[in-house]
Amino acid sequence: MRTPENLFDRFEALATGENRAFVVTPAGRTITYAEANATSARLANTLVALGVAIGDRVAVQVEKSPEAILLYLACLRAGAVFLPLNTAYTPNEIDYFLRDAEPKLFVAAPGAKAALEAVARAARVAAIETLGTAGDGSLMERAATQPTAFATAMLDRHDLAAILYTSGTTGRSKGAMLSHENLASNAHVLSYFWRFTAEDVLLHALPIYHTHGLFVATNVILQVGASMLFLPKFDSDQVFALLPRATTMMGVPTFYVRLLDDPRLTREATAHMRLFVSGSAPLLADTHRGFEERTGHAILERYGMTETNMNTSNPYAGDRIAGTVGPSLPGITVRVVNPETGRQLPMGEIGMIEVKGPNVFKGYWRNPEKTKAEFRDDGFFVTGDLGKVDWKGYVTIVGRGKDLVITGGFNVYPKEVESEIDALPGVVESAVIGVPHKDFGEGVTAIVVRATGVTLDEAGILAALQPRLAKFKQPKRVIFVDDLPRNAMGKVQKNVLRVLFERIYD
Ligand code: AMP
């Protein structure tokens, strides 16, 4: 007989149905662990009644709500594979995911059902249900008549808990297969490393279709039986109203930039907090320093990705160094190699970051070639991120490998140029990209956001960079924009910029 390895059973307060708060909404609704246990049992019974068996995918495109989290927990209990989809995806994109993942059940937002029903039918999805943000929709109606007990599916630790599609900035998104062990090991290590206890209250303003809001935030809370204040989305007014009741927050850098822009951000406003965590995109060193000056809190930056969960983290006690993502987490090995030879590089040299550990996913859904291409023979996963490790083990990320600019045969790491530009007075932020250039292959190109009212121009920036960067690293052009394009996780979409400016050297 196999030992029970279902992630659900690791969440003790949930599995035993404790009578303490799990999710609290700004409107004042509290869902206790006891209630979460009962409702997720009802939902697990509903899944079984709809024909969902162990290993079947349940695709979900719904707005953030406590019930959506309960549906995730129901999938764990029933041994189904939870497959959340970005709420921004259009029916055309949903068509691709449904055909690729072949879910048994698709759960849509009530208002989107009409547009998505035909898509789901054409993709041969057997069951389509709806779930709204107020506990409404056909799924909860079905669940209402189901029993509040459910025998948790007996699984192997390698069985799949979820498939998360990568954001797919190059080519089509790929489904990252995450096992119960992948999620369990990360929930355990993060809750311990960041010192979460049952007394913690997490301010949760992230989306829940992505690894950050779904697994990092929610699983850590479930691991220790703590509670979360569950905002539909990031909203400064709501955040400032709730900070006095919270102890921790996890955010993307954009959250911290917005908080820092707000005069309400003070030591007093954050006095009840013990920890601010940032990830999913690089936190500017300036933001880190500015936040610490204003609040006394050094934001703790960590690094991870859909495929690997979290890999590194700045320490809880000890130096949280701005611009770094800290050392590898316990039980996880991070190395930096020469991308071509795969050979490990000496300390301090920039190369490809590779990761190995119980956190690393099982491979891409129905894509063995891609899986094979991104794993080394010794089991390390090639992250696609370029970075370096210092003598204390702290990792610094210099950007995605595909964002590397190769100009006249020289490698230019965008982060190095961006850091120089960002340090100039009057610059808010910048993105450096490679744009096709007939002489150089790619021309280093800087896209810059200026502070309002400053007169900084292209010639000024180029002149300021001259003594600071080797000639080949200096931008050939500087283009000013009002904002950098970002996705929902705050990542600058360099692929969008490359398309926008692809002809400037023609
Ligand atoms: P995703 O799979 O959407 O979570 O994106 C993962 C990617 O986000 C990583 O491969 C990195 O390129 C980037 N990323 C995540 N955390 C950080 C961080 N703290 N600093 C810089 N880049 C990050």
Side-chain angles (χ1 to χ4, degrees), residues 300-380:
L300 186 157
E301 187 171 7
R302 86 328 176 252
Y303 157 63
M305 61 198 300
T306 302
E307 289 94 328
T308 63
N309 299 285
M310 301 305 105
N311 300 313
T312 75
S313 170
N314 271 282
Y316 188 83
D319 289 340
R320 300 179 192 166
I321 301 179
T324 83
V325 293
S328 55
L329 284 158
I332 297 169
T333 313
V334 173
R335 70 182 182 193
V336 174
V337 306
N338 175 315
E340 276 83 46
T341 64
R343 210 166 298 140
Q344 194 156 350
L345 290 170
M347 193 170 54
E349 281 190 29
I350 292 174
M352 177 61 67
I353 299 176
E354 299 186 346
V355 189
K356 190 174 176 178
N359 54 315
V360 176
F361 75 136
K362 298 281 156 227
Y364 293 111
W365 172 252
R366 291 188 181 159
N367 202 337
E369 301 82 44
K370 194 77 192 158
T371 303
K372 192 163 185 303
E374 302 203 358
F375 277 93
R376 301 276 184 198
D377 292 342
D378 58 1
F380 275 80

Side-chain angles (χ1 to χ4, degrees), residues 381-397:
F381 173 64
V382 182
T383 63
D385 290 313
L386 296 172
K388 59 184 176 182
V389 186
D390 72 9
W391 66 277
K392 282 161 80 187
Y394 281 60
V395 176
T396 300
I397 296 171

